[in-house]
Amino acid sequence: QVQLVESGGGLVQAGGSLRLSCTASGRTISNYAMGWFRQAPGKEREFVAGINWSGETTYYADSVKGRSTISRDNAKNMVYLQMNSLKPDDTAVFSCAASPREIALTLSGWISWGQGTQVTVSS
């Protein structure tokens, strides 16, 4: 199965930007839809953004729509999440995940997960 490792998290001021990266190994991500999730302290993990196997379909949570962009580079086996206009409420561990071809509608549909990268947004 595909193994996923996130990077790019860190501390940023409110209004700033971060670009998260997800590097895959073991399988080509061309066979998978890819997604980003986040989990804040004391909260459940929530979907942030997804992109299907071909990159033709994307979906964003309302909380990040308009200020985040998910993209993929299948040749490099990588997925990215560009986040702009960051808010303190964005503070969370961000994880990438994979599902077969299409964006899964439930958490159980995401079959592989990375360990996550911490994003902290200060006021």
Side-chain angles (χ1 to χ4, degrees):
Q1 288 293 95
V2 61
Q3 290 80 49
L4 306 173
V5 179
E6 304 91 341
S7 63
L11 176 64
V12 64
Q13 292 271 77
S17 299
L18 282 175
R19 190 195 194 204
L20 307 182
S21 298
C22 176
T23 302
S25 61
R27 298 284 189 97
T28 173
I29 63 168
S30 64
N31 295 319
Y32 298 93
M34 303 297 296
W36 286 95
F37 296 77
R38 69 185 185 188
Q39 187 167 25
K43 294 186 176 181
E44 295 183 356
R45 182 165 51 193
E46 65 174 336
F47 174 83
V48 176
I51 185 167
N52 81 331
W53 68 276
S54 67
E56 296 293 332
T57 302
T58 58
Y59 183 80
Y60 298 92
D62 289 341
S63 59
V64 303
K65 194 175 299 180
R67 59 189 183 96
S68 297
T69 302
I70 186 170
S71 61
R72 65 191 301 156
D73 187 337
N74 287 350
K76 295 182 178 179
N77 238 25
M78 296 188 71
V79 182
Y80 308 95
L81 181 67
Q82 176 70 42
M83 299 187 292
N84 304 319
S85 302
L86 285 163
K87 307 172 182 179
D89 285 348
D90 294 321
T91 296
V93 174
F94 281 72
S95 301
C96 65
S99 68
R101 294 184 69 84
E102 302 301 329
I103 300 169
L105 300 179
T106 62
L107 283 176
S108 63
W110 299 90
I111 62 174
S112 186
W113 295 83
Q115 294 280 20
T117 184
Q118 177 70 50
V119 171
T120 302
V121 184
S122 62
S123 59

